Amino acid sequence: MRVAVIGAGVIGLSTAQSIYEHYHNKVSPLTIEVYADVFTPLTTSDGAAGLWQPYLYDKGNVQETKWNKETFDYLLSFLSSPESIKMGIFLQSGYNLCTERTPEPSFKDIVLGFRELTQRELDIFPGYSFGWFNTALMLEGKTYLPWLMNWLSQRGIKFYQRTINSFQELADSGADIIINCSGVRSGDLQPDPELTPARGQIIKVDAPWIKHWILTHGLRPKIYSSPYIIPGSRLVTVGGTFQRGNWNRQNSSIDHKKMWDEACKLEPSLKHARIVEVWTGLRPARSKVRLERETMRSGLNTLEVIHNYGHGGYGLTIHRGCAEEAARLFGEFLQQKGVQTKPKSRL
């Protein structure tokens, strides 16, 4: 059984991991290959700040809230292990600030110590009259992706740096099933009018005195378009933008000035921070994650594809839950094909 994964961001690598974990001792031979035009440290996942937090509201999409929780619980389970630091996982507390009283977010029962802010806390942040405090997890892509690649490499997964232009290309080379985790490039492989780039620009600064993350939400919430400050293990991420339909990967001086001025108003001490890097990436924005099997016809033949893309700006937040669901769909495919999935004998 030959599995071809397209994409080497957190979605592609974690999906390869879940498939291996569930089936390497049940299917023989099982070959997993990962194809991507870029690998860490050049993926969108590498540039993300890494705070575990979905959008405030799931808008009834309880399946994604379930995948978010599965990811949080999975990552939390590593905190008692020395491996956590190699993975880029650590606890971080902070503030969600709102300009008016707002319903509780969909993730309130997932994070740790969720509560409303007191008036004394709100007094620290002029212009904000309501909010929450909680402890969440940080998962830094620049550390987690190399860890995932090392984990996969040790188990025989192969990596190929090349641009895949069609699913047929991989089927012709012998793939039995294709796992499409190509993010914003998925529209090149199959038209998807729901998928759009959401351009994000951030600033990385040296400000070790900042210990809590601060996310802000305006009267008419626009995702990531009001200032946020997220301290990481070494640098602090300042953002941000969420520009739908904008394919420009170049840094914008206009966006930079707006972000920096707003962030310094929120946290004046940033004026003394040293700017280390400015980074721009394209998030794969969609009304909801596309996570489903599809049998595609190509002449007299069929292609089996599992799609796993459209995670917007919360790929690190939801990745493990989605990877496990993709692995379950892979199991369905094996059953339909009549592939035996019995555990290998240890004798």
Side-chain angles (χ1 to χ4, degrees):
M1 175 61 58
R2 187 171 161 201
V3 181
V5 179
I6 308 175
V10 70
I11 302 300
L13 296 181
S14 62
T15 300
Q17 181 187 41
S18 285
I19 289 174
Y20 180 89
E21 285 179 333
H22 287 284
Y23 299 103
H24 79 279
N25 64 342
K26 297 179 181 178
V27 177
S28 183
L30 177 63
T31 302
I32 302 174
E33 301 166 337
V34 178
Y35 296 84
D37 52 351
V38 294
F39 286 85
T40 184
L42 301 177
T43 74
T44 303
S45 302
D46 287 285
L51 173 66
W52 187 99
Q53 180 165 306
Y55 303 154
L56 290 185
Y57 307 110
D58 60 20
K59 299 180 180 177
N61 190 346
V62 294
Q63 183 62 69
E64 289 190 12
T65 296
K66 174 177 174 286
W67 292 333
N68 288 328
K69 183 180 187 306
E70 288 172 359
T71 303
F72 189 92
D73 292 345
Y74 169 76
L75 297 173
L76 193 65
S77 71
F78 283 96
L79 281 183
S80 59
S81 163
E83 198 73 5
S84 61
I85 193 63
K86 293 183 179 180
M87 297 170 71
I89 303 171
F90 53 95
L91 292 171
Q92 192 87 286
S93 301
Y95 305 89
N96 277 286
L97 303 176
C98 307
T99 54
E100 62 181 358
R101 178 166 282 276
T102 306
E104 292 181 330
S106 305
F107 57 79
K108 71 180 181 68
D109 294 324
I110 302 175
V111 295
L112 308 174
F114 180 90
R115 62 171 176 79
E116 285 189 14
L117 295 179
T118 66
Q119 188 57 51
R120 286 187 71 196
E121 288 171 311
L122 288 168
D123 289 344
I124 303 171
F125 306 104
Y128 296 94
S129 59
F130 185 72
W132 312 286
F133 184 90
N134 65 262
T135 298
L137 289 164
M138 291 290 293
L139 178 65
E140 295 187 313
K142 63 185 179 181
T143 304
Y144 188 51
L145 265 63
W147 180 87
L148 278 172
M149 286 194 67
N150 184 59
W151 190 98
L152 293 166
S153 295
Q154 289 178 350
R155 289 156 179 83
I157 283 75
K158 302 298 183 185
F159 301 94
Y160 299 95
Q161 184 165 6
R162 63 184 248 215
T163 299
I164 301 300
N165 296 305
S166 70
F167 297 131
Q168 187 66 49
E169 183 182 330
L170 290 173
D172 288 345
S173 68
D176 295 297
I177 187 166
I178 298 161
I179 318 294
N180 176 24
C181 306
S182 55
V184 77
R185 279 203 64 243
S186 292
D188 296 338
L189 296 168
Q190 183 186 62
D192 183 351
E194 278 201 63
L195 179 68
T196 60
R199 180 181 174 276
Q201 182 170 321
I202 56 173
I203 306 167
K204 301 271 189 178
V205 304
D206 185 12
W209 59 87
I210 295 178
K211 304 297 185 185
H212 293 84
W213 46 265
I214 308 169
L215 308 185
T216 66
H217 312 277
L219 279 171
R220 285 183 288 181
K222 290 186 177 180
I223 302 160
Y224 300 139
S225 60
S226 54
Y228 62 81
I229 300 167
I230 302 173
S233 57
R234 293 178 179 84
L235 299 176
V236 176
T237 300
V238 174
T241 62
F242 195 90
Q243 299 164 346
R244 286 183 181 272
N246 187 344
W247 285 95
N248 183 14
R249 295 178 183 268
Q250 300 302 310
N251 296 326
S252 161
S253 59
I254 295 172
D255 289 334
H256 179 98
K257 184 177 187 310
K258 178 177 181 292
M259 283 190 299
W260 188 246
D261 289 349
E262 290 181 346
C264 288
K265 183 178 178 182
L266 180 64
E267 176 52 70
S269 71
L270 278 176
K271 292 178 181 178
H272 298 290
R274 179 176 63 91
I275 295 176
V276 175
E277 179 188 7
V278 181
W279 181 89
T280 297
L282 303 179
R283 308 175 183 97
R286 211 170 178 275
S287 61
K288 63 179 180 179
V289 172
R290 186 183 185 194
L291 184 39
E292 62 185 359
R293 269 182 66 198
E294 182 180 14
T295 301
M296 305 174 68
R297 297 208 167 271
S298 177
L300 298 175
N301 300 317
T302 59
L303 304 177
E304 286 292 336
V305 180
I306 295 175
H307 299 285
N308 185 8
Y309 69 86
H311 304 81
Y314 56 102
L316 288 164
T317 293
I318 201 171
H319 75 277
R320 178 68 181 189
C322 290
E324 289 289 281
E325 176 63 14
R328 187 189 68 77
L329 293 174
F330 177 70
E332 283 185 0
F333 162 73
L334 294 177
Q335 284 189 327
Q336 288 184 6
K337 288 292 182 183
V339 177
Q340 296 296 318
T341 57
K342 294 180 180 178
K344 295 178 187 175
S345 171
R346 296 185 179 273
L347 296 177

